[in-house]
Amino acid sequence: MNNEELIYTKSKSMTQRETHYCPGCTHGVVHKLIAESLDEIGMVDNAIVIAPVGCAVLIYDYLALDGVEAAHGRAPAVATGIKRVHPDKLVISYQGDGDLLAIGMGETIHAANRGENITVIFVNNAIYGMTGGQMAPTTMPGQKTTTTQSGREPDDVGMPIRACEIINTLDRPVYIERVSCHNPANINKAKKAIKKALLNQKEGKGYSFVEVLATCPTNWGLTPKKSYEWLESTMIPYYPLGVFRDKEE
Amino acid sequence: MEKIIFAGFGGQGVISAGKLLAIASMREGKEVSHIPSYGAEMRGGTANCAVVVSDDEIASAIVHKPTICIVLNEPSLDKFESLIESGGILIYNSSIINRKPQREDIKIYSIPCNDISEHNGSIRAANMAALGALLKVKPELATMESMKMALVEGISERNHKFNPTNIKVMEEAYSYLK
Amino acid sequence: MKNKILMKGNEAAAEAAVIAGCRYYFGYPITPQNEIPEYMSKRLPEVGGTFIQAESETAAINMVFGASAAGARSMTSSSSPGISLKQEGISYLAAAQLPCVVINVSRGGPGLGNIAGSQGDYFQATRGGGHGDYRTIVLAPANCQEIADLTLEAFDLADEYRMVVMILADGFLGQMSEPVVLPKPSGKTFSKEWAVGIGNKNKVASLILSPEDGLTKHNYVLKDIYDRVEESVIKYEEYMIEDADYILCAYGSSARICKQAIQELRAQGIKVGSFRPITLWPFPYKELKKATEGKKRVLTVEMSFGQMLEDVKLSVNGTIPVDFYGIPGGMIPTPEEIVERIKSYE
Ligand SMILES: Cc1ncc(C[n+]2csc(CCOP(=O)(O)OP(=O)(O)O)c2C)c(N)n1
Ligand code: SF4
Ligand SMILES: [Mg+2]
C-alpha cells in the first residue's frame, strides 16, 4: 500500500449512493463539481441543497449535505426562507430548465432581484427530462420533443429563453456565468464558476447564478457522444458561454 | 383467462410486445387489457407490462400472479419466477439469461431470442422472437395471421419497414419450439 | 369489433375531447397524464385547434378561464400536485359560471408522492379544493371506454350547467390500454350569450361588492344550479346486488378489483355484490341507501385511507355496519385481501 499513490478519492461531500441517471447524463457531473467545490472551500458540513422537481429530485441522496425538496419551481422561494433563518449556511438551489424558467420563473426573478445571498445552479438540458421529454423553455428551434413533434416552432411558442441574459437585467445579482460540461476543458471551467458562486455566498457577497449547459441523451434520442456534439454545435451558439457579470471585476 | 407478464430491460421492447399481443387478441374478438410499468421505475432498470386476454369482461387488469411470464433478462427472471401461478408457463430468453429457472410446478420454455433476432439481421427484435414462441405455446391467444396484422396496426408507420424482419424472427421462433 | 381501437386511457380522454368539439387545450407536463398533452399537441392543430404548453398549472387553468369566457370548449389535465395548483383557477371558474373540463389522472400523495395510481384526491375533488362555496361535477371512470364516454359527456354537462366538470381517473387507468369504440358527438348545442367577444358587452367576473347582498344572491344562483344537478346527474353501476348479503362499494380502479373479488367469492358460495358510484359529486346517496337495504354489511374499498367512506356512511346512515379496506400511497388492494375481509364476516 505504501508504494501506491492515492490519486483519486470520491469527494467527501458525496454519499456512496449510485445515481439513477441515464448513461451520458450530465446531472451527475454537475453534482460532482458542487461536491468538490464544497470540499475545497471547507463547507461540507455547512451546506444545504434544495432539490428541484426534475431528474435531480434525489440530489440530496447523492450529496452528503442537508437536503430539502421543494415543490416544482419553488426552490428559490424555499431557499430564501432557509437562508433568512440560517444566514451562515450555504444554500444551494439546484434547478432544471422547466423548474427554473417555466413554472418557477416568478420565484427565479424575485429571488434574484432581492439579491438573496444564495447560489443558484441552473442545469439547462433543453428538455423536460423527468417527465419523458416534453418541450422546455430552453428547447432549441426545430428540436423535436414529445409536445413539439415536428420540432419547436418559434412562431408558435417563441424562442428559447436565455436565463443569464434575463437575470443580467436585474440590479442585485453579483455573479452570473454560463458554462458547459460537454468536454473536460469546459468541465474545468464549470468547476471554477460553481466554486466561485459558492465562495461568493460564503463571503456574504450576494446572489450568484451559474447556468450549466447539459445533456439529456435519453430524451434527445442521441447516444452520449452525439449528445455532447449536439450541445456544442447547437446549444452553445445560441447560449454563449462566459461571464455576464462579476461585481468583483 | 390468461394473465401475462412481459419483462426485460428498458429498450428490449417488452411494452410493445405486450401491446401487439393485445391488439392481435382483440382482433380475434377477445377482451384485452394492457398496463405498462411507467415513469422513473423504468430508468435504467427493468420494464414490464401486464396483458390480460379473456373471453369475458376483464374485472381487474392488474396482474399480481401471472399465468404466463415472458422474461427477456435475468433481473426479470429473478423478479417474476416465484410469482407465476402453479401450472403456469415461463418463457425465457436463453441468449442472455445464464441461470436455469428453479420452479418445477410450471412449464418452462427456453428460447435464444437475441440469437434468433441477430441472425435475421436485427439486434432489436428479441421481443418478436418471444412473441413467436408465445404463439406456439399458447395458440389460443392469437394466430400468426392476426399478429401480422397487429404489426401494421400497432407499430408507427415509419417503423413498418422493419416488419419483414419482425415477421421472419417471429416465424423462426415459432418453429424453433417443437 | 372492427371499430375497436386499443387505446391508452389518457389517449381515449384526449380523443374524446376532440370529438366533443374541444379545440383549446392548455396543460403542463406531469406523469402519469403526459399522453394527454402529447396527444393534443399533435391532434389539435390537425383540426384547427390550439395547444399551448403553459409555464405552470396555474397558468394553464387561467388560459382555460380565458378560452371558456370567450365561449369555447376548453380543457386542461394534470395529476394530483398539478391539480392542487389549479384549485385557485377552478374556484374562479366556478364563481364566474364558466364551463370547462379538468382531468385528474391522480397519483400517490401527499406532496410530490409517487406516480402510481391513487384515490387520495377524493376529498379535494368532491369537496371543492379551492376557496368558497362551490361545487364541481366529478365523474369517475373505471375503464378506457368509460374514460372516452364520460369525457365526451363532461363537455355537455359543463355547458348545460355552466360548471367545471372534473374527470377523476388515476394513474393505472391513464396508463392502461383497452379496446375503445370512440363515441359519437351528442349533437347538443348550447347558446353562449354570456361569452365575451360576441358583441354583447358581457362581463365575466367573480368580484361582487355591491349591492351589499349581491354576492349572497349570486351564491343562491349557484346553489339552485347545484340542486338541479343533484336531482338529475346521478350515475352509478350495480353488480350482482339482488341476492347479495354483502355490498362492496368502490369507484374507479378499486371497483374493478372488487369485481374480481366478487367473482372469486361467488365461486366459493358467498353472496356479494357491488355498488360503483360514477358521479362522485353529486354522490348517489339515495341509490346506495336503497341498494344496501336488508344487507348484512357494506365494505368500502379505496386506494386511500378512506375518503369516499364518509359519503358511504352518510348514505347508509347507520342502518347497517360500514367497514373499510384500503391502501394509500399508490398501492392497489388485491382481490385476495378483499376476499379475506369478506370471509371474516361469515
Ligand atoms: C406542480 C407540478 N407540475 C408538474 C410536475 C411534473 N414534473 C416533474 S419534473 C418536471 C419537469 C422537469 O424538467 P426540468 O426542470 O427541465 O428538469 P430535468 O428533468 O430536465 O432535469 C415536471 C413538469 C410536478 N412534479 N409538479
Ligand atoms: S432523462 Fe435525461 S436528464 Fe433525466 S437522467 Fe436521463 S439523461 Fe439525465
Ligand atoms: Mg431540463
Side-chain angles (χ1 to χ4, degrees):
Chain A
M1 200 52 187
N2 276 345
N3 297 338
E4 291 170 16
E5 195 187 347
L6 188 65
I7 55 166
Y8 181 81
T9 53
K10 199 165 181 175
S11 152
K12 270 196 298 203
S13 301
M14 292 205 95
T15 66
Q16 293 308 313
R17 288 283 277 273
E18 230 176 83
T19 71
H20 66 288
Y21 300 117
C22 310
C25 175
T26 42
H27 269 303
V29 175
V30 182
H31 290 10
K32 187 170 149 181
L33 299 183
I34 294 173
E36 287 176 357
S37 303
L38 288 171
D39 285 0
E40 289 165 22
I41 65 173
M43 291 298 276
V44 183
D45 298 322
N46 285 300
I48 302 165
V49 64
I50 325 282
V53 176
C55 278
V57 66
L58 295 178
I59 187 171
Y60 46 72
D61 280 347
Y62 310 134
L63 295 186
L65 315 172
D66 286 341
V68 175
E69 180 192 285
H72 196 21
R74 314 296 178 226
V78 173
T80 300
I82 295 172
K83 187 71 185 185
R84 297 288 175 124
V85 176
H86 294 299
D88 53 332
K89 294 280 186 286
L90 278 196
V91 179
I92 305 163
S93 181
Y94 185 106
Q95 298 178 262
D97 34 59
D99 198 85
L100 186 134
L101 284 179
I103 197 166
M105 179 65 110
E107 284 76 3
T108 295
I109 294 294
H110 288 279
N113 193 49
R114 288 190 301 270
E116 295 294 339
N117 185 27
I118 60 174
T119 303
V120 177
I121 308 293
F122 168 38
V123 178
N124 177 1
N125 58 9
I127 201 129
Y128 283 17
M130 182 182 222
T131 41
Q134 297 84 6
M135 181 189 73
T138 52
T139 291
M140 297 303 295
Q143 184 185 337
K144 286 189 178 153
T145 72
T146 60
T147 51
T148 55
Q149 293 180 30
S150 17
R152 179 179 183 143
E153 171 51 77
D155 285 345
D156 187 31
V157 295
M159 290 292 283
I161 298 177
R162 295 183 179 103
C164 290
E165 287 81 344
I166 290 183
I167 303 221
N168 201 21
T169 64
L170 304 172
D171 186 55
R172 283 303 177 96
V174 295
Y175 176 57
I176 305 167
E177 179 166 0
R178 184 182 288 121
V179 294
S180 174
C181 54
H182 66 289
N183 62 26
N186 277 280
I187 290 175
N188 282 339
K189 284 191 200 153
K191 162 82 180 290
K192 283 205 190 90
I194 288 171
K195 185 167 168 186
K196 173 154 191 164
L198 291 167
L199 211 51
N200 281 347
Q201 188 183 161
K202 187 180 179 193
E203 292 166 0
K205 288 191 178 139
Y207 181 94
S208 299
F209 184 89
V210 178
E211 173 174 348
V212 187
L213 300 185
T215 58
C216 176
T218 300
N219 289 302
W220 290 359
L222 298 176
T223 61
K225 183 163 177 287
K226 285 240 167 70
S227 72
Y228 301 132
E229 289 163 13
W230 190 83
L231 187 160
E232 181 163 27
S233 63
T234 312
M235 289 179 74
I236 292 180
Y238 187 82
Y239 298 114
L241 304 182
V243 177
F244 289 79
R245 179 180 305 174
D246 186 350
K247 280 207 173 156
E248 257 176 358
E249 282 168 4
Chain B
M1 179 168 65
E2 296 297 347
K3 297 177 283 181
I4 306 151
I5 285 193
F6 290 84
F9 290 124
Q12 276 184 310
V14 291
I15 310 274
S16 45
K19 210 149 200 175
L20 291 170
L21 174 66
I23 292 172
S25 300
M26 173 179 81
R27 288 287 163 248
E28 295 188 3
K30 303 259 195 343
E31 294 295 334
V32 298
S33 66
H34 172 277
I35 303 188
S37 59
Y38 59 91
E41 64 175 304
M42 295 176 57
R43 293 253 181 285
T46 58
N48 67 76
C49 68
V51 177
V52 180
V53 178
S54 169
D55 291 328
D56 307 310
E57 180 194 338
I58 294 166
S60 169
I62 293 182
V63 173
H64 298 282
K65 283 192 227 136
T67 55
I68 303 176
C69 213
I70 297 107
V71 296
L72 295 191
N73 69 348
E74 201 155 317
S76 301
L77 179 63
D78 296 343
K79 185 167 169 187
F80 290 107
E81 182 179 358
S82 62
L83 299 179
I84 302 171
E85 257 184 33
S86 188
I89 291 172
L90 169 67
I91 298 173
Y92 74 100
N93 178 8
S94 57
S95 302
I96 58 167
I97 297 179
N98 295 319
R99 80 168 174 86
K100 285 253 170 325
Q102 306 296 310
R103 293 273 298 264
E104 289 177 353
D105 59 336
I106 55 174
K107 280 190 228 115
I108 295 173
Y109 301 89
S110 111
I111 174 140
C113 298
N114 288 40
D115 298 283
I116 294 180
S117 169
E118 275 161 36
H119 83 243
N120 280 290
S122 168
I123 50 164
R124 318 198 113 213
N127 58 344
M128 295 294 150
L131 270 180
L134 176 64
L135 292 190
K136 180 68 160 278
V137 172
K138 264 285 160 193
E140 303 90 323
L141 291 173
T143 60
M144 189 60 89
E145 271 326 293
S146 301
M147 191 58 82
K148 286 179 190 166
M149 271 152 61
L151 281 176
V152 178
E153 187 177 340
I155 290 183
S156 69
E157 216 155 296
R158 81 194 134 84
N159 287 329
H160 281 180
K161 56 178 183 282
F162 301 118
N163 276 348
T165 310
N166 288 337
I167 290 170
K168 269 199 289 176
V169 171
M170 222 161 43
E171 284 176 339
E172 185 176 330
Y174 187 89
S175 39
Y176 176 92
L177 288 182
K178 291 285 158 334
Chain C
M1 193 175 89
K2 258 258 116 101
N3 51 3
K4 273 189 185 174
I5 317 170
L6 192 75
M7 285 184 113
K8 267 195 174 188
N10 284 334
E11 295 163 351
E15 184 57 34
V18 173
I19 294 170
C22 170
R23 292 294 177 270
Y24 295 84
Y25 173 90
F26 311 97
Y28 187 81
I30 184 166
T31 312
Q33 63 84 57
N34 288 324
E35 292 81 5
I36 301 179
E38 288 169 355
Y39 191 95
M40 288 306 216
S41 73
K42 184 154 185 282
R43 186 78 173 96
L44 280 177
E46 289 171 5
V47 292
T50 296
F51 162 86
I52 293 181
Q53 181 177 318
E55 65 273 27
S56 72
E57 289 84 355
T58 318
I61 191 78
N62 283 294
M63 291 174 186
V64 167
F65 187 103
S68 177
R73 280 196 159 176
S74 79
M75 177 169 103
T76 184
S77 64
S78 188
S79 179
S80 310
I83 296 290
S84 292
L85 278 186
K86 291 190 198 293
Q87 293 303 336
E88 174 194 81
I90 292 174
S91 167
Y92 281 69
L93 282 148
Q97 288 183 263
L98 292 178
C100 75
V101 174
V102 176
I103 301 183
N104 181 2
V105 184
S106 71
R107 62 188 231 181
L112 204 48
N114 63 20
I115 57 174
S118 155
Q119 296 183 323
D121 296 356
Y122 182 93
F123 283 152
Q124 186 198 51
T126 59
R127 272 29 179 193
H131 62 284
D133 230 338
Y134 74 94
R135 291 292 191 180
T136 55
I137 296 174
V138 183
L139 306 174
N143 56 55
C144 294
Q145 182 66 53
E146 220 173 53
I147 290 177
D149 295 344
L150 290 176
T151 302
L152 185 90
E153 192 177 346
F155 281 93
D156 281 349
L157 289 171
D159 280 347
E160 182 168 352
Y161 297 101
R162 293 182 58 186
M163 283 179 71
V164 176
V165 180
M166 177 174 284
I167 305 284
L168 184 60
D170 65 52
F172 299 115
L173 288 167
Q175 291 301 319
M176 167 192 304
S177 298
E178 287 179 317
V180 174
V181 179
L182 288 171
K184 297 237 152 35
S186 69
K188 288 187 195 165
T189 53
F190 299 87
S191 123
K192 296 194 174 175
E193 287 300 311
W194 43 262
V196 297
I198 56 172
N200 285 0
K201 297 217 185 300
N202 285 330
K203 224 168 69 187
V204 174
S206 68
L207 177 71
I208 305 178
L209 293 176
S210 67
E212 206 180 327
D213 64 350
L215 182 58
T216 302
K217 285 202 172 115
H218 178 60
N219 270 298
Y220 276 112
V221 169
L222 298 181
K223 172 80 163 64
D224 280 346
I225 296 172
Y226 302 154
D227 287 348
R228 272 199 290 134
V229 172
E230 282 187 292
E231 278 307 308
S232 35
V233 191
I234 297 279
K235 290 175 188 290
Y236 57 96
E237 181 195 75
E238 291 177 339
Y239 179 66
M240 298 194 154
I241 289 268
E242 217 142 276
D243 66 339
D245 291 326
Y246 307 105
I247 301 295
L248 294 171
C249 189
Y251 69 97
S253 286
S254 44
R256 297 183 61 159
I257 308 288
C258 286
K259 251 192 191 170
Q260 181 147 348
I262 291 171
Q263 289 165 7
E264 288 171 24
L265 283 160
R266 290 248 166 200
Q268 299 177 33
I270 301 173
K271 292 188 188 132
V272 190
S274 67
F275 185 95
R276 172 167 74 92
I278 297 172
T279 48
L280 302 183
W281 193 90
F283 189 84
Y285 291 110
K286 283 185 233 148
E287 294 74 9
L288 175 59
K289 177 87 191 300
K290 188 151 172 292
T292 57
E293 263 162 25
K295 308 298 184 194
K296 290 187 183 156
R297 204 186 285 245
V298 180
L299 175 62
T300 307
V301 179
E302 297 177 62
M303 283 138 60
S304 76
F305 271 146
Q307 301 193 6
M308 183 178 75
L309 175 64
E310 296 191 359
D311 281 326
V312 175
K313 284 184 174 165
L314 281 173
S315 160
V316 172
N317 199 14
T319 51
I320 59 169
V322 174
D323 194 10
F324 175 74
Y325 186 78
I327 317 184
M331 298 287 282
I332 202 159
T334 65
E336 291 73 32
E337 288 157 358
I338 298 166
V339 167
E340 281 315 303
R341 179 63 67 93
I342 291 282
K343 280 166 84 175
S344 75
Y345 305 150
E346 287 278 282

